[in-house]
Amino acid sequence: MSGFLIEHYDLWRGLHILSVIAWMAGLLYLPRLFAYHTRAGQGSAVATDYFEQMERKLFHIIMNPAMVAAWLFGGILIYVDGAGRMGWAFLLLPAMIAKLTGVAFLTFWHHYLGRARKALLAGTSTRSEKYWRATNELPFLAAVIMVLCVTMGVK
Ligand code: HEM
């Protein structure tokens, strides 16, 4: 099993990047839908006919599986780097600590958006359209830091 994982490192790396792309797409798009949804009015006809369905599908069909896949393939990369290529001390490299801090933030943000989706559905959201527009770029900023950490700091 361990040999199989180590041998196919480049495959896991590719699948990791693909799942991260899908996860990021959802993290960037969902708050935009929240902004339009909030502007249309919670419980309005357009919200129930369109935004609630779009948000549910995006969250359950794209974002949840993509996050699980990013963690799964990222976890395999951690295992292969730790057990094979670099030794477990690589986890203590500043770039890796920064990268995993970014991962913790994105995972928190994912669940925060999940709770916000439920609040919009229940008509109890107190967040404004402006709030969703303003926070929309946070996952992208985290992604910039994380990608540069792995491309420049972890070899
Ligand atoms: C979800 C949890 C995640 C874990 C456990 C994880 C872990 C890892 C590990 C261990 C590596 C290999 C580092 C190396 O040896 O170079 C890696 C590579 C990478 N990760 Fe992640 N990662 C996660 C999420 C993310 C996210 C959210 C992004 C981007 C926003 C990202 C972007 C990348 C990139 C660009 C690479 C470089 C692939 C390459 O070697 O070319 N990862 N990840």
Side-chain angles (χ1 to χ4, degrees), residues 9 13 16-17 20 23-24 67 70-71 73-75 77-79 81 85-86 90 96 99-100 103 106-107 142-144 146-147 150-151 154-155:
Y9 183 80
R13 212 156 54 104
H16 177 60
I17 293 171
V20 162
W23 189 23
M24 287 303 306
M67 178 183 67
W71 267 103
F73 295 119
L77 294 180
I78 287 186
Y79 174 77
D81 278 341
R85 295 171 74 232
M86 291 191 268
F90 94 101
M96 205 57 209
K99 152 95 191 234
L100 292 178
V103 166
L106 288 186
T107 305
V144 169
M146 292 160 71
V147 170
V150 279
T151 58
V154 188
K155 290 279 170 280

Side-chain angles (χ1 to χ4, degrees), residues 2 15 18 29 37 45 51 57 72 84 86 89 95-96 116 131 136 139:
S2 158
L15 293 173
L18 287 170
Y29 188 41
H37 186 157
F51 294 122
K57 285 185 182 162
L72 176 72
M86 291 191 268
M96 205 57 209
Y131 173 84
N136 198 25

Side-chain angles (χ1 to χ4, degrees), residues 45-55:
V46 69
T48 31
D49 287 351
Y50 296 104
F51 294 122
E52 289 175 8
Q53 323 289 333
M54 290 164 83
E55 289 157 5

Side-chain angles (χ1 to χ4, degrees), residues 24 62 85 87 101 108 111 117 122:
M24 287 303 306
I62 308 282
R85 295 171 74 232
T101 307
F108 157 79
H111 289 97
R117 187 187 75 82

Side-chain angles (χ1 to χ4, degrees), residues 71-135:
W71 267 103
L72 176 72
F73 295 119
I76 293 176
L77 294 180
I78 287 186
Y79 174 77
V80 176
D81 278 341
R85 295 171 74 232
M86 291 191 268
W88 292 107
F90 94 101
L91 283 172
L92 298 176
L93 291 173
M96 205 57 209
I97 293 172
K99 152 95 191 234
L100 292 178
T101 307
V103 166
F105 168 73
L106 288 186
T107 305
F108 157 79
W109 193 248
H110 176 106
H111 289 97
Y112 173 75
L113 293 179
R115 283 198 305 277
R117 187 187 75 82
K118 284 190 181 154
L120 277 161
L121 196 60
T124 56
S125 172
T126 52
R127 298 297 186 192
S128 64
E129 178 188 350
K130 202 171 157 195
Y131 173 84
W132 291 120
R133 285 184 190 283
T135 54

